[in-house]
């Protein structure tokens, strides 16, 4: 082997080694079983959640100006945040997970943008910061029933394909990407939820192309080819169901606080951030920074909390519907 | 989602600065593509109280300064035993401060935009095994794109010693050994021992106190003497001035020095032989003849020769000593950083995208 080739191979191996997220061996290491197991005991990490908010704030890398909800002790992408027992459908111990796996146990939340990609912005608010804030709140809501992890926990760059890689490696059952929209001047604000699929709507194509701009080197044509291999999979139905549940919940709950809110519906579009996902995956536009009224509401923590609660309820209703489906199909 | 504002939201791509960083248990260094090379002690201190804060007028001190002001500080040495204590926010913060200081030293000040840092970070093999994911997160705010490797791998890469080689890096808190066989070293190719310079200091300090109960010698004095007079095998005499009952007195510490330094030999020998035994038999003699001794404690006089003679029991070998080990790790990291392709840097980044 020539020296040059050897070095190239070693560099490649080093890159790969760094890309593969570290697996922590231990009692919860499911790497060989394929199927996700519920943790049987409370991990020390979940106890750390009780640490005062100061811990991460002191680390000084979160750029949110609001006090953070609980800090997460570590971005342990693979081991996931191990929360206490799942208990959203009766006593889990009664069910042998090998025979009857819960359809939704692990959730990966993806706060859109981050780092040098602020997303959309208005009047001092940025999409990246709002998405992160809402994701933190949502995680806290979900954490008593699910194991939840985030693709980023601070203001940092995370490549689009890495976001789904994280979810795949974590064996996530659901992937939810959180974004805030910007609509043309004369449009009233609305919420909308996307799942991965083709679109013939030129406006959506343009939209997807811009949203995908963080992804290096994909043309829309490339995306189409990529997508061809993906559509066939059954998870598109699940993704649509998840999008529908979330959209329904978002609109239903937020309309109470903003009577002018529009239901922009469930749509499919070719978003790179959804392509790699091996599980039902959606992208939710939970608000609009182009709307002065929404900007005002988004400054209010209680509105951010409402958005998180709406997403929580949407995910919950999806999970329950999948459980019902699994039961009916006689698993 | 950016639908309409994308045009205006575009930010220009900042310039990139590639660096190699060696996060050591006692010294950390940086070698940057712009030619800057700097070393800081791996110590970080925070003022203990209001008074200390007033006196020091600083929120945090890093490096030699922290060491000097240690009575006023809550002092941390985050990688002391080769591991970042898990869940210890202080230690994590200390790592961040060290890296921040290194970057401040290497990045020209007052220039905008600040370059995006692409860094290869070398750490003890054990840190790599246990703390990598954690470390990644710790560095995330400061480094745009990070590759973390074991320190001996960075050294080997920089020296172009990648085939049939063994790197023995004897530092302060840890000794890292790694076998290079022309493939990316796996866990079983590497070992981290907690026996290194610090252990010699402790040993020496204890021996001196034993022998001269009336002398008052601090661990820092012992370390300073070691760095001047250390040896294994034949050497000495070592005579130093130490306060005995308050009066400077000459004491002969030749034997304490020899015993302390030689305490490294047995664990090193054993681990080297163990690693060599795992190599395919036909390559073992090449590896034996290609041992590279590096790290600050590799400078102990006679250590290389002693390790070489312990290879005699396997049929002989050759140990070469790196004469100026301070930057050999960070230089290797930089060499590696330069060889990583841009697209791979983007992948490791979590990437900044196209704009
Ligand atoms: N000339 C020397 N002789 C013996 N030991 C030395 C010498 N110079 C430095 N050391 C020791 O080397 C160690 C630091 O080496 P280094 O490779 O920088 O460690 P690390 O990488 O673990 O921070 C310390 O224990 C220091 O006392
Ligand atoms: Mg070192
Ligand atoms: Zn967005």
């Amino acid at each position: 082997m020539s020296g040059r080739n050897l070095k190239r191979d070693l560099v490649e191996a080093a890159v790969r080694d760094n890309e593969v997220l570290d697996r922590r061996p231990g009692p919860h290491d499911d790497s060989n079983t394929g199927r996700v197991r519920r943790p049987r005991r409370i991990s020390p990490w979940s106890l750390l959640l009780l640490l005062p908010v100061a811990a991460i704030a002191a680390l000084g890398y979160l750029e949110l100006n609001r006090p953070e909800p609980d800090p997460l002790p570590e971005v342990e992408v693979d081991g996931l945040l191990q929360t206490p027992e799942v208990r959203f459908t009766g006593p889990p111990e009664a069910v042998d997970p090998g025979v009857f796996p819960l359809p939704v146990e692990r959730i990966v939340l993806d706060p859109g943008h981050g780092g040098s990609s602020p997303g959309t912005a208005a009047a001092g608010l940025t999409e990246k910061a709002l998405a992160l804030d809402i994701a933190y709140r949502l995680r806290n809501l979900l954490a008593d029933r699910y194991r939840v992890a985030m693709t980023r926990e601070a203001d940092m760059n995370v490549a689009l394909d890495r976001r789904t890689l994280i979810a795949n490696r974590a064996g996530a059952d659901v992937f939810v990407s959180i974004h805030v929209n910007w609509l043309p001047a004369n449009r009233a604000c609305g919420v909308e939820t996307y799942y991965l699929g083709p679109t013939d709507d030129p406006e959506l194509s343009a939209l997807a192309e811009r949203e995908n701009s963080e992804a290096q080197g994909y043309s829309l044509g490339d995306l189409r080819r990529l997508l061809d291999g993906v559509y066939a999979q059954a998870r598109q139905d699940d993704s649509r169901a998840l999008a529908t549940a979330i959209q329904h919940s978002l609109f239903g709950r937020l309309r109470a606080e903003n009577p002018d809110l529009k239901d922009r519906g469930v749509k499919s579009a070719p978003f790179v951030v959804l392509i790699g996902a091996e599980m039902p995956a959606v992208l939710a536009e939970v608000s609009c920074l182009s709307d002065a009224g929404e900007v005002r509401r988004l400054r209010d923590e209680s509105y951010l909390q409402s958005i998180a609660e709406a997403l929580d309820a949407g995910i919950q209703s999806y999970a329950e519907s999948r459980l019902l489906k699994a039961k009916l199909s006689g698993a | 989602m950016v639908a309409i504002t994308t045009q205006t939201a575009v930010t220009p791509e900042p310039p990139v600065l590639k660096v190699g960083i060696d996060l050591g248990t006692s010294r950390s260094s940086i070698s940057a593509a712009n030619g800057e090379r700097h070393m800081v002690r791996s110590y970080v201190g925070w003022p203990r109280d209001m008074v200390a804060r007033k006196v020091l007028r600083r929120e945090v001190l890093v490096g030699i300064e922290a060491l000097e002001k240690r009575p006023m500080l809550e002092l941390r040495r985050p990688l002391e035993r080769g591991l970042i204590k898990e869940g210890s926010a202080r230690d994590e913060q200390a790592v961040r401060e060290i890296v921040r200081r290194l970057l401040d030293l290497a990045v020209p000040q007052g220039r905008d935009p600040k370059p995006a840092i692409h860094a290869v970070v070398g750490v003890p093999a054990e840190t790599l095994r246990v703390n990598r994911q954690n470390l990644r997160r710790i560095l995330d705010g400061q480094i745009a794109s990070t590759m973390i490797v074991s320190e001996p791998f960075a050294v080997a890469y920089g020296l172009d010693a990648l085939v049939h080689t063994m790197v023995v890096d004897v530092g302060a808190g840890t000794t890292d050994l790694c076998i290079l066989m022309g493939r990316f070293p796996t866990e079983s190719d590497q070992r981290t021992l907690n026996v290194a310079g610090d252990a010699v200091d402790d040993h020496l300090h204890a021996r001196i106190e034993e022998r001269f109960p009336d002398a008052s010698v601090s661990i820092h004095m012992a370390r300073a003497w070691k760095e001047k007079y250390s040896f294994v095998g034949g050497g000495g005499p070592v005579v130093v001035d130490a306060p005995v009952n308050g009066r400077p007195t000459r004491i002969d510490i030749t034997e304490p020095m020899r015993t302390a330094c030689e305490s490294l030999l047995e664990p090193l020998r054993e681990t080297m032989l163990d690693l060599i035994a795992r190599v395919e038999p036909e390559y073992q003699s090449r590896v034996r003849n290609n041992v590279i001794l590096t790290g600050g404690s590799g400078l102990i006089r006679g250590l290389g020769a002693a390790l070489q003679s312990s290879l005699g029991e396997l049929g002989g070998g050759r140990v070469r000593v790196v004469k100026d080990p301070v930057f050999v790790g960070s230089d290797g990291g930089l060499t590696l950083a330069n060889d990583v392709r841009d697209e791979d840097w983007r992948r490791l980044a979590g990437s900044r995208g196209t704009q």
Side-chain angles (χ1 to χ4, degrees), chain A residues 256-273:
Chain A
E257 302 191 37
N258 174 7
D260 297 330
L261 194 74
K262 293 279 173 291
D263 183 355
R264 294 173 56 87
V266 169
K267 300 168 182 173
S268 75
F271 292 122
V272 167
V273 72

Side-chain angles (χ1 to χ4, degrees), chain B residues 47 49-58 72:
Chain B
D49 50 30
M50 279 301 293
V51 179
R53 191 169 297 122
K54 275 228 157 82
V55 173
L56 298 167
R57 290 205 227 131
R58 219 92 57 76
M72 280 188 275

